[in-house]
Amino acid sequence: MIKGMDHLPTTEAAVTALRALADEYAREIEVRHDIGADQTSRRSAAGVGVTADPDGSLPHEAHVDFGGLPRVSVRLYPDDDALITVEGVECPDVDRDDVPAFVRSLFDDRAFVKARRFPPGRFLIVPLPRDRTHKEYLPVIGLTPWLSARVR
């Protein structure tokens, strides 16, 4: 997170926080921006040539890819949430304010895979601040080596 900032009010603030994390962990980072209602993924019904929302604002969406392991990509939506993909596992609806903490948990090796025998299942568990976790179901087949190394 950006020092002194508890809330990430914009997509650009979240991108700045992710760039700081990339520098801290010596990771390569690639950022792509989609700006305007005709460019963002959730505004496909905006119409031809319409770039602004009805309130006059320009929606801003960003795609962030980190180098190294685990493979992490973040899609920041203009609606204050994000889709984080970890080793091919999609974690939707992550609050924008939680994105830096989520990525930090991955890079600090605090995330783990919880396996259950009956009923069989595996879940990616990512610790977040204030004693919260993000839990995502994993398919039974196709665990990557990074995920397999974190099974508990």
Side-chain angles (χ1 to χ4, degrees), residues 28-92:
E28 290 183 15
I29 186 172
E30 180 183 334
V31 181
R32 297 176 309 282
H33 298 274
D34 292 330
I35 300 174
D38 60 338
Q39 299 295 312
T40 58
S41 63
R42 292 186 176 171
R43 305 254 187 342
S44 59
V48 176
V50 177
T51 57
D53 280 345
D55 65 356
S57 66
L58 285 173
H60 178 193
E61 186 174 296
H63 308 269
V64 180
D65 293 313
F66 289 94
L69 288 177
R71 291 172 301 161
V72 178
S73 66
V74 180
R75 188 172 193 168
L76 295 157
Y77 296 109
D79 304 325
D80 296 336
D81 68 329
L83 167 68
I84 300 177
T85 306
V86 182
E87 290 289 315
V89 177
E90 291 187 348
C91 303

Side-chain angles (χ1 to χ4, degrees), residues 1-136:
M1 192 145 240
I2 301 171
K3 291 184 185 202
M5 185 180 275
D6 295 329
H7 171 63
L8 299 172
T10 64
T11 299
E12 191 58 39
V15 169
T16 301
L18 292 174
R19 285 184 194 275
L21 279 173
D23 287 343
E24 181 180 337
Y25 289 94
R27 299 280 183 123
E28 290 183 15
I29 186 172
E30 180 183 334
V31 181
R32 297 176 309 282
H33 298 274
D34 292 330
I35 300 174
D38 60 338
Q39 299 295 312
T40 58
S41 63
R42 292 186 176 171
R43 305 254 187 342
S44 59
V48 176
V50 177
T51 57
D53 280 345
D55 65 356
S57 66
L58 285 173
H60 178 193
E61 186 174 296
H63 308 269
V64 180
D65 293 313
F66 289 94
L69 288 177
R71 291 172 301 161
V72 178
S73 66
V74 180
R75 188 172 193 168
L76 295 157
Y77 296 109
D79 304 325
D80 296 336
D81 68 329
L83 167 68
I84 300 177
T85 306
V86 182
E87 290 289 315
V89 177
E90 291 187 348
C91 303
D93 302 324
V94 176
D95 186 57
R96 182 191 298 153
D97 293 337
D98 288 335
V99 169
F102 190 106
V103 173
R104 184 178 297 278
S105 286
L106 294 170
F107 292 168
D108 282 342
D109 214 19
R110 288 184 281 144
F112 61 95
V113 175
K114 183 177 181 180
R116 175 176 76 196
R117 287 188 185 257
F118 189 79
R122 289 183 265 193
F123 297 88
L124 175 63
I125 311 291
V126 181
L128 297 173
R130 297 181 300 278
D131 292 330
R132 296 175 301 131
T133 60
H134 182 89
K135 183 178 180 180
E136 201 61 49

